[in-house]
Amino acid sequence: MSRGKVLVVGGGIAGLSTAWALARRGFAVELFEQGALPYARASSYDEHRIIRHAYGDMEGYAYLMPSAFRVWEALWAAIGATHYDAMPVIYLMRGESEWYETTRRSMGRMGVACEDIPIEAAMALYPMVNPDGVTRVVRTEGAGILYPIRILTDLVKLIAGLGVVLHPDTRVEAVDLEAGLVRTGGGVVGGDAVVVTAGAWVNRLVPSTIGEAVPSRQAVMFLAPPPRFAAAWQAAPVLIDLGAESGTYTLPPRAATRLKIGDHQFTRRGDPDEDRVGTDADVARLTEAARRAWQDFDEYTVLERKACFYTVTADERFLVRREGARGWLGSACSGHGFKLGPLIGDGIAGAIAGERTEAAVSVWAAGR
């Protein structure tokens, strides 16, 4: 017997995970997505993403990661496939920062390996690294690569098989979070609760998020390395360059994906309805940072420059809270939304089911 009907607005990792968690708890669920499922313009849609325990001064999120990995394991069991490759993340530090001490502390408390590698040894292992200015190299375990497109595709199939009613290509025009209503071009649908997980479009449906969850146009580049570095990149782990003027993250070309580089400096500008083709302006800072991180970067072939959108809060923390008598907001702020998406979705479903209080789930999701 159904425990009630919940409407989920948004079909990225947050919405799909919330729908899965609700269906497992016996709720009737309908999910609305403005595009196809999965949607190529959604923030979640990507070839590969990093998952890790290392979180620097955001230690609360570090301590959520063991639980996040357990939910991922449950998902692999449910879909019958593992869209994850375990591998270390290597941090190339150019100058000292608080990241190092807080990461060593949290990793030590969790029992996850975090160790220094001699710089000369690291340069021998990773000949594509530009050694200029490298002051420390840190290897962290409890990490790897997730494959989002494959994950989203299998999640859609999974929840459809659990009876979730899917509404792809259905733009939600408005939500009434007091009455539990969702309005589309085809009419109004009512439920006992509405969960808005609309990503970069959240401001249009939940006005209270305007100025708090800010859409941010971000750029990544997909690359082919010069032949002399091709084998090194194929065997490489995830490499993150930490420096005031660098700050790149680079994922190796594993499992038929391409070499990808991005940075963590948020633009906090843009309209999510813009196209996803990366412009010269989009990649200007990223290109300069990549030149500092990687040897002879101008010899790399740019295969694609792509723009994506995140929402960003001032402190890069998730917004999970009640909105109105029958509404919930689930906004994954910054790029760490994907790795924690299934865990946060489970938390929202648990709160709707009465397993935890509104206040508790909001604090928990903010990593506090």
Side-chain angles (χ1 to χ4, degrees):
M1 183 175 179
S2 173
R3 300 176 66 178
K5 181 178 179 180
V6 182
L7 311 178
V8 178
V9 180
I13 189 65
L16 294 173
S17 296
T18 303
W20 176 47
L22 288 163
R24 295 200 316 273
R25 287 170 167 83
F27 289 91
V29 184
E30 296 192 33
L31 182 142
F32 299 81
E33 172 54 63
Q34 64 182 328
L37 282 166
Y39 185 34
R41 293 168 69 89
S43 301
S44 300
Y45 195 89
D46 201 353
E47 291 187 13
H48 44 1
R49 293 277 177 90
I50 304 168
I51 186 168
R52 66 189 191 277
H53 282 77
Y55 252 100
D57 61 359
M58 299 180 75
E59 289 186 81
Y61 284 118
Y63 299 128
L64 288 181
M65 290 311 300
S67 297
F69 272 92
R70 286 192 289 271
V71 178
W72 281 113
E73 290 294 336
L75 178 59
W76 307 145
I79 64 177
T82 300
H83 301 310
Y84 165 65
D85 278 337
M87 66 184 68
V89 173
I90 305 297
Y91 292 85
L92 306 162
M93 300 183 65
R94 301 175 194 268
E96 295 304 308
S97 74
E98 293 182 3
W99 176 91
Y100 179 72
E101 292 301 332
T102 54
T103 296
R104 284 183 63 86
R105 179 172 61 220
S106 62
M107 299 284 275
R109 288 173 176 171
M110 292 184 290
V112 181
C114 174
E115 61 181 359
D116 282 47
I117 301 175
I119 293 174
E120 288 187 5
M123 295 307 109
L125 285 170
Y126 312 117
M128 61 290 226
V129 173
N130 178 2
D132 294 345
V134 174
T135 56
R136 171 172 268 148
V137 180
V138 181
R139 175 189 172 102
T140 62
E141 300 292 342
I145 292 175
L146 296 168
Y147 298 102
I149 295 172
R150 303 172 201 181
I151 292 167
L152 298 174
T153 300
D154 278 351
L155 253 175
V156 171
K157 292 189 292 184
L158 174 64
I159 65 174
L162 293 174
V164 174
V165 178
L166 303 177
H167 300 275
D169 300 306
T170 304
R171 182 179 287 271
V172 172
E173 297 173 352
V175 293
D176 185 333
L177 302 181
E178 290 292 338
L181 304 175
V182 169
R183 189 181 79 228
T184 73
V188 176
V189 181
D192 298 292
V194 177
V195 183
V196 179
T197 58
W201 290 270
V202 67
N203 296 163
R204 300 178 185 180
L205 297 176
V206 185
S208 67
T209 65
I210 295 173
E212 183 180 20
V214 179
S216 185
R217 182 179 174 94
Q218 303 298 125
V220 298
M221 291 191 290
F222 294 93
L223 309 163
R228 68 182 181 281
F229 293 142
W233 273 119
Q234 191 65 46
V238 176
L239 290 161
I240 296 181
D241 193 87
L242 291 179
E245 296 182 335
S246 49
T248 61
Y249 60 88
T250 306
L251 289 87
R254 297 290 183 86
T257 62
R258 297 170 291 179
L259 177 66
K260 184 181 83 172
I261 186 168
D263 72 9
H264 196 67
Q265 179 171 305
F266 295 110
T267 68
R268 291 181 169 84
R269 61 170 180 78
D271 183 318
D273 285 335
E274 295 169 356
D275 66 39
R276 296 300 188 266
V277 177
T279 65
D280 290 345
D282 286 327
V283 302
R285 184 196 178 277
L286 176 57
T287 300
E288 288 305 311
R291 287 172 178 150
R292 295 184 179 95
W294 310 122
Q295 293 271 30
D296 303 319
F297 183 74
D298 289 334
E299 296 181 25
Y300 285 63
T301 299
V302 178
L303 303 174
E304 183 182 5
R305 305 187 306 187
K306 183 179 178 181
C308 60
F309 276 85
Y310 302 134
T311 50
V312 183
T313 58
D315 57 6
E316 298 182 39
R317 297 182 185 274
F318 283 81
L319 296 178
V320 172
R321 66 189 183 217
R322 286 292 296 268
E323 289 278 343
R326 298 193 177 191
W328 280 89
L329 168 68
S331 185
C333 294
S334 104
H336 64 188
F338 197 94
K339 63 181 70 67
L340 284 158
L343 177 65
I344 299 300
D346 188 71
I348 294 171
I352 292 172
E355 297 166 12
R356 60 178 77 192
T357 66
E358 170 194 348
V361 76
S362 296
V363 172
W364 168 82
R368 301 190 189 283

